[in-house]
Amino acid sequence: MDRTSQNQYVEFSIGNENYAILISEIHEIIRMLDITEIPNSQSYVQGVINLRGKIVPVISLRSMFAMENGSYTKSTRIVVVNHSEESVGIIVDGVNKVTTFSDIQAPPERVGGISGSYFVGIGINNEHLVGILKLDEVLLRE
């Protein structure tokens, strides 16, 4: 695997699951904002936000991964990532920390009921296993 344990990741939670994104792919992390819904969009597309004058689409991994809907709390954040020269917001229940992994294993076919194609790998550190998201698969989903 070409991603070494020296790379830094932002680890976040959705429900009881922990996920991570390579820190270099993250533009910023913001508190929850009012989201304007987009009619006739995919169920996981929550709408758009106005981020300092820039319209940014926002998706819910909870909906994408067919997890039970949860309400937003004061810990809810939008992780804004840069992908293919566009910004996309991802709603997460909470941002845990910036971390590195002592080992990254290839993902199995299914990770907790979710297709392994959404993951670059499974990060292992002293505390637990973390699914490292493959943004190409998550954001370019049809």
Side-chain angles (χ1 to χ4, degrees):
M1 183 161 280
D2 60 338
R3 296 182 186 228
T4 67
S5 60
Q6 297 174 357
N7 289 326
Q8 290 187 313
Y9 298 84
V10 171
E11 181 184 315
F12 55 90
S13 59
I14 300 173
N16 294 325
E17 305 295 329
N18 291 312
Y19 302 96
I21 297 174
L22 196 61
I23 199 167
S24 62
E25 296 175 314
I26 295 176
H27 177 67
E28 65 182 299
I29 298 168
I30 59 175
R31 293 184 186 274
M32 197 64 192
L33 298 174
D34 289 333
I35 298 174
T36 303
E37 292 183 25
I38 302 172
N40 304 317
S41 60
Q42 297 284 344
S43 62
Y44 58 88
V45 177
Q46 298 299 292
V48 295
I49 59 173
N50 183 340
L51 185 62
R52 294 182 292 280
K54 183 176 181 181
I55 302 302
V56 176
V58 177
I59 66 169
S60 167
L61 289 182
R62 223 177 236 286
S63 295
M64 182 178 285
F65 294 163
M67 299 171 124
E68 195 172 300
N69 282 332
S71 58
Y72 300 140
T73 68
K74 65 180 183 180
S75 298
T76 303
R77 296 288 184 270
I78 299 174
V79 177
V80 180
V81 298
N82 291 321
H83 188 264
S84 300
E85 300 181 20
E86 292 189 25
S87 296
V88 177
I90 300 173
I91 300 171
V92 302
D93 290 349
V95 174
N96 303 339
K97 60 186 173 184
V98 174
T99 189
T100 58
F101 296 108
S102 57
D103 189 20
I104 298 174
Q105 299 288 319
E109 280 188 38
R110 304 221 37 101
V111 178
I114 303 167
S115 170
S117 67
Y118 289 122
F119 300 94
V120 171
I122 304 298
I124 301 168
N125 63 23
N126 295 335
E127 300 166 17
H128 49 269
L129 304 177
V130 178
I132 302 170
L133 294 176
K134 184 188 296 183
L135 289 181
D136 284 341
E137 290 295 323
V138 171
L139 299 179
L140 299 178
R141 180 179 177 186
E142 291 294 320

